[in-house]
Amino acid sequence: MPAPQLVTLDVWTVAAQDVPRALWRMAADRPVLPRLPGARFAKLLGTGDGRTFTVRDADPLRWAALVAWDSPADAERFETSRPARAWAGIARERAQFRLAPRSSRGRWSGREPFGGSGSGPAADGDGPVASITRARLRPHRAASFWRAVPPVAAELHAVPGLRCAFGIGEAPLGFQGTFSLWDSTRALREFAHRGAAHRDVMVRTPREGWYAEELFARFDVVGVRGTLGGRTP
């Protein structure tokens, strides 16, 4: 299947007293989001603050929706949808990352939501890029994986060119993911291929058999709307 024309990641921040309402929206919107016009793939996600990218990072004040759209017009229609209006009623802050798939390998829930390997333009652009990783852990290997991740997180936040990074997941345990936004492809590659901790995890992944399913995707950043933590990334 060809890559979608646009992928959006919405991140809503709520006040502590509104966490129960956010949890209700996560349940109520789960069957609605994939049926929106033009939504070919949709996931409601919890988030983590990105300090260690383990379960300790879970942030009950931030919730997210990731949607792959057939067209930008479909993404714009989302703004008047029932889920978008409901989240606007409880969120104190919203950021929306608008992304164009460049490359993707692996699967998410048995699908290739951002196109297959080699999808997107071959040449690297000069603008900001984003990365999404997602893995479904094998339960008996999860503890080993979580021990390996904190050094990578520390290395990540020390790399020049990182604008923001946080964890994403469909469940508190076993479904781990990351979103990161970078100044350039070069900055992303510096982290991916030159960081000692990240290289170690890459080498260990096939040997350790951590993942039952995994996906790595890269995107051009079409735009960012709103704020995250009081600023536009």
Side-chain angles (χ1 to χ4, degrees):
M1 179 179 292
Q5 289 194 25
L6 187 70
V7 174
T8 57
L9 176 65
D10 282 279
V11 183
W12 296 283
T13 304
V14 304
Q17 64 266 25
D18 290 321
V19 169
R21 296 174 66 191
L23 289 169
W24 167 248
R25 290 259 52 91
M26 293 292 288
D29 293 339
R30 195 169 300 277
V32 176
L33 206 62
R35 295 201 297 264
L36 292 176
R40 63 166 66 175
F41 181 85
K43 291 288 184 179
L44 284 164
L45 305 166
T47 75
D49 59 24
R51 291 172 298 163
T52 66
F53 292 107
T54 67
V55 292
R56 298 195 303 269
D57 290 356
D59 185 352
L61 303 183
R62 281 189 180 153
W63 305 88
L66 177 70
V67 186
W69 301 99
D70 284 333
S71 71
D74 293 319
E76 288 301 327
R77 280 191 288 271
F78 171 69
E79 300 302 317
T80 59
S81 69
R82 187 175 75 187
R85 295 197 309 268
W87 280 102
I90 63 174
R92 60 166 53 177
E93 186 180 46
R94 176 195 183 190
Q96 184 186 73
F97 301 88
R98 300 170 66 82
L99 313 169
R102 175 183 288 179
S103 63
S104 180
R105 63 180 177 88
R107 292 180 177 270
W108 190 333
S109 297
R111 299 174 59 185
E112 295 182 325
F114 313 122
S117 299
S119 60
D124 288 334
D126 296 328
V129 297
S131 171
I132 290 177
T133 70
R134 183 266 181 185
R136 177 164 53 88
L137 301 180
R138 301 183 191 275
H140 66 289
R141 304 303 299 158
S144 170
F145 171 80
W146 286 323
R147 286 194 297 270
V149 169
V152 179
E155 190 173 81
L156 169 69
H157 290 287
V159 175
L162 177 68
R163 296 192 181 187
C164 73
F166 50 88
I168 54 175
E170 298 153 85
L173 297 172
F175 295 83
Q176 311 301 124
T178 64
F179 173 81
S180 57
L181 181 66
W182 301 83
D183 284 342
S184 64
T185 300
R186 180 178 180 180
L188 173 56
R189 285 178 174 165
E190 286 287 322
F191 164 69
H193 299 295
R194 297 192 180 183
H198 191 263
R199 288 201 315 271
D200 178 65
V201 166
M202 292 174 65
V203 170
R204 291 177 61 188
T205 293
R207 184 175 72 238
E208 299 281 353
W210 283 318
Y211 309 142
E213 185 181 57
E214 60 183 312
L215 178 142
F216 303 88
R218 188 173 55 169
F219 306 82
D220 290 316
V221 180
V222 177
V224 180
R225 299 176 176 178
T227 60
L228 187 70
R231 67 181 185 90
T232 300

